Amino acid sequence: MTDLFSALGDGAGSMNIRREDFAPGAVLLRGGLADQQEAVLAAVRAVTAQTAFRRMQTPGGQSMSVATSSCGALGWVTDRKGYRYVAADPQTGIPWPVMPGVLHGFARAMAEMAGYPGFDPDSCLINRYAAGVKMGLHQDRDEADFTQPIVSLSLGIPAVFLWGGLARTGPVRRITLSHGDVVVWGGPSRLVFHGIAPLKPGTHPATGEVRINLTFRRAG
């Protein structure tokens, strides 16, 4: 597998951000990364140099196929004790890297554009998907305040975002996400089940053969 950022592109350039309201309280901002690609990629590389990607263990004892890292005051972890947010990396006992200002500001701006002003994320979960990796339908419900939205940025090869309902069963919508797309959801959609279909092989100038997903939350 190509290293995370072995082949950086020349920058996304200035793009028009196209808004798609696809569910109550849920907004897709096509091209939301706009011309911030280089700064965001540099910030992600800095974080993952301090806290390397790893495949965590689920409460059931299975290894996740998605590799994760975190930054901010709180980081998301999973192990035999369950899913939760903690202030320090359990592998080292050291606090997670400070969330870079460019990432914090980007998340705030995207939330405001989607109709959620005042968003102040204290956690950024960074997921790395290789070909064939998926994320099953789940709810983001480990956070303390469900009035705050989720802001999710896609980098690299395309992915199919699975959007369900408030129950695990029922129809699931498939939404293709490309490099630089941002999904923001909250309000009546805050606890909707969502996931990622198995990733198809591909390459992207910014990330090589992987997809990187940044998910910003107000966890504490």
Side-chain angles (χ1 to χ4, degrees):
M1 183 178 69
T2 301
D3 187 54
L4 173 57
F5 297 124
S6 61
L8 288 176
D10 294 327
S14 178
M15 295 183 287
N16 292 323
I17 299 175
R18 303 180 304 282
R19 175 181 177 132
E20 299 175 15
D21 296 81
F22 65 92
V27 178
L28 172 56
L29 299 171
R30 295 278 187 195
L33 185 62
D35 58 359
Q36 298 186 64
Q37 170 173 296
E38 292 303 327
V40 167
L41 291 176
V44 173
R45 290 191 335 216
V47 168
T48 55
Q50 297 177 66
T51 304
F53 284 107
R54 82 286 303 264
R55 291 180 174 85
M56 295 187 181
Q57 190 179 63
T58 67
Q62 302 209 344
S63 178
M64 294 182 64
S65 59
V66 174
T68 68
S69 180
S70 284
C71 63
L74 295 171
W76 183 86
V77 300
T78 174
D79 54 25
R80 288 286 193 174
K81 298 177 182 178
Y83 306 116
R84 63 197 185 281
Y85 287 96
V86 295
D89 184 342
Q91 287 192 355
T92 63
I94 299 173
W96 303 102
V98 173
M99 189 185 305
V102 65
L103 298 185
H104 187 273
F106 176 81
R108 284 179 60 90
M110 293 296 98
E112 183 166 3
M113 188 175 295
Y116 297 98
F119 180 50
D120 185 18
D122 59 4
S123 180
C124 174
L125 175 63
I126 306 173
N127 284 338
R128 184 182 67 191
Y129 293 77
V133 171
K134 65 179 181 179
M135 179 73 72
L137 288 176
H138 65 282
Q139 295 171 301
D140 287 351
R141 57 180 313 120
D142 300 319
E143 299 75 33
D145 185 358
F146 293 158
T147 68
Q148 297 295 302
I150 306 294
V151 176
S152 177
L153 167 64
S154 290
L155 300 171
I157 62 178
V160 175
F161 184 53
L162 305 176
W163 182 261
L166 295 176
R168 191 181 296 276
T169 58
V172 174
R173 183 174 176 182
R174 298 170 64 90
I175 302 171
T176 299
L177 298 179
S178 299
H179 175 74
D181 287 346
V182 179
V183 183
V184 183
W185 67 96
S189 287
R190 176 58 180 76
L191 293 177
V192 161
F193 279 87
H194 58 283
I196 294 291
L199 211 67
K200 293 183 178 180
T203 60
H204 191 278
T207 63
E209 298 175 354
V210 300
R211 172 186 184 250
I212 303 297
N213 176 233
L214 278 63
T215 308
F216 300 90
R217 303 174 173 93
R218 183 70 192 179

